Amino acid sequence: MVIAQHPKRWAGLPVFAVALVLVAVVGSLSAVNAGGEYLALERPPWAPPQWLFGPAWTVLYIMIAVSGWLAWSARGWTPALGVYAAQLVLNAAWTPLFFGAGRYGLAFAEIVVLWAAIAATIVLFRRISRVAAWLLVPYLLWVTYAASLNFAIWRLN
């Protein structure tokens, strides 16, 4: 399906963008002082600087929204989009666990489930749209790194 031939599909893009904005807002509301908390934690030497998280997540959220929209544009609502939605919920839940509640071990367990949900979404999206699947690969890589960092912080604190 060529998206340009179906202009009604373009109307779905803002829905995916709003969904990702909501995920980001949940995280930011639950961690008002996340930057200060992050700096106060004992971190491994390979931990990124605090300022990197905002730009990285902004780019990733754009890619995640476009990925979901491409999959929806190609086939409509499918079980793959149910898995996509589940990983968005898991994404939104991590920040309140880690920063809001300070539950580093529980946050690590949650991010492992998030990682699996992202991987499953990539596999399912690949059957629908290779571009949609590839747009999620940087997200999976970042969450892999974030899970390692979460584990290290849990062990150090």
Side-chain angles (χ1 to χ4, degrees):
M1 168 187 299
V2 176
I3 295 168
Q5 293 176 346
H6 300 280
K8 291 180 184 175
R9 294 292 185 188
W10 285 101
L13 184 55
V15 173
F16 285 89
V18 167
L20 269 296
V21 167
L22 290 174
V23 169
V25 166
V26 166
S28 66
L29 289 177
S30 65
V32 176
N33 190 28
E37 288 180 48
Y38 179 73
L39 293 174
L41 291 169
E42 184 73 27
R43 298 179 312 276
W46 46 268
Q50 179 267 335
W51 63 263
L52 182 62
F53 291 99
W57 277 110
T58 299
V59 170
L60 290 170
Y61 282 148
I62 291 167
M63 294 171 74
I64 296 164
V66 171
S67 174
W69 172 70
L70 285 172
W72 174 80
S73 294
R75 296 260 178 91
W77 190 265
T78 64
L81 281 165
V83 177
Y84 173 87
Q87 66 80 23
L88 290 182
V89 170
L90 290 164
N91 182 308
W94 183 85
T95 303
L97 287 172
F98 189 89
F99 287 111
R103 302 287 309 271
Y104 309 132
L106 186 56
F108 176 71
E110 195 273 352
I111 204 170
V112 169
V113 175
L114 170 59
W115 188 95
I118 297 166
T121 303
I122 291 170
V123 169
L124 294 170
F125 275 16
R126 188 170 184 279
R127 298 174 189 160
I128 297 169
S129 164
R130 287 185 179 209
V131 174
W134 277 108
L135 282 169
L136 294 177
V137 170
Y139 176 36
L140 183 67
L141 295 173
W142 182 260
V143 169
T144 301
Y145 178 66
S148 301
L149 183 60
N150 184 156
F151 183 78
I153 289 173
W154 176 34
R155 302 313 315 152
L156 291 169
N157 293 275

